[in-house]
Amino acid sequence: FRAWIPINNSNIHGYNGTFDGGEHTVSSLYFNNINTKYVGLFGNVASSGKVANVGVIDTYFNGYSYIGGVVGNNSGTVSGCYNTSTVMGSMNGGGFNTSDYIGGVVGYNSGTVSDCYNNGSVSGSVSIGGVVGYNSGIVSGCYNIGNISGDSRIGGVVGYNNNYISDDSPAIVTGCYNNGNVSGSLYVGGIVGNNRDIV
């Protein structure tokens, strides 16, 4: 493992460029700080940002919120990416009573995630998904074959599907499937744990 600082892990300035991995992989990254948000290969991708065609393998990411194997928080476009690593959220005992928005590929998505998959272990407390933890955008053509676990709103593809900001732009999950193990105590589903929009 090599110590990793996520690219653009600020909630103020997300990555707004275009990264195309050309079907290559990134491996042996290590991040373990349970006081930190926006963790992944990229911590935060802005609405104009694009991340494509890269796999994250043999890697360990542990934070407490907005954690993804490829992107922690996505407002832009993530396509053709995959994760085969351990992605988890941990409560830090400092007043944060949940570890939420944890996904194998993207932790929190308000943009578009397409043609991505997860074959890693994903765990946390609330809004935990094999591909996306919390989706308020579009997730299409994605699948999960990894082990997903948590407490509430746990889904094989998406943990929580809900656009609470705009009724004119619903959260959508389409053309996806799950063949992994999914476990939790409340709102648990093979595709979506808790759905309040369109699946």
Side-chain angles (χ1 to χ4, degrees):
F1 284 121
R2 69 189 73 179
W4 178 248
I5 298 175
I7 300 167
N8 284 84
N9 64 335
S10 166
N11 65 335
I12 300 173
H13 302 292
Y15 175 78
N16 60 13
T18 297
F19 176 88
D20 191 324
E23 310 297 338
H24 290 86
T25 61
V26 179
S27 64
S28 303
L29 306 181
Y30 179 84
F31 185 95
N32 186 16
N33 186 333
I34 59 176
N35 297 306
T36 304
K37 295 181 178 181
Y38 308 106
V39 177
L41 176 64
F42 290 80
N44 190 11
V45 172
S47 59
S48 58
K50 297 180 181 180
V51 177
N53 305 318
V54 65
V56 177
I57 66 173
D58 298 328
T59 285
Y60 179 90
F61 289 144
N62 182 22
Y64 93 85
S65 189
Y66 298 90
I67 318 296
V70 180
V71 176
N73 179 62
N74 175 56
S75 300
T77 301
V78 178
S79 63
C81 297
Y82 65 91
N83 171 67
T84 65
S85 306
T86 298
V87 180
M88 60 187 297
S90 299
M91 292 178 285
N92 68 4
F96 304 111
N97 58 7
T98 60
S99 55
D100 52 6
Y101 312 145
I102 319 295
V105 178
V106 174
Y108 189 109
N109 175 58
S110 57
T112 299
V113 178
S114 63
D115 302 318
C116 296
Y117 75 88
N118 173 68
N119 189 20
S121 172
V122 184
S123 62
S125 295
V126 179
S127 298
I128 315 300
V131 178
V132 173
Y134 189 117
N135 177 54
S136 63
I138 299 172
V139 178
S140 66
C142 298
Y143 67 91
N144 171 68
I145 52 178
N147 295 322
I148 315 304
S149 62
D151 297 323
S152 175
R153 294 171 175 161
I154 315 301
V157 177
V158 173
Y160 190 19
N161 186 57
N162 176 35
N163 191 340
Y164 64 92
I165 298 173
S166 171
D167 292 333
D168 297 328
S169 180
I172 298 172
V173 179
T174 181
C176 299
Y177 73 90
N178 171 63
N179 196 28
N181 295 319
V182 183
S183 62
S185 57
L186 183 66
Y187 301 120
V188 181
I191 303 297
V192 174
N194 188 187
N195 176 53
R196 303 189 70 177
D197 269 315
I198 298 174
V199 176

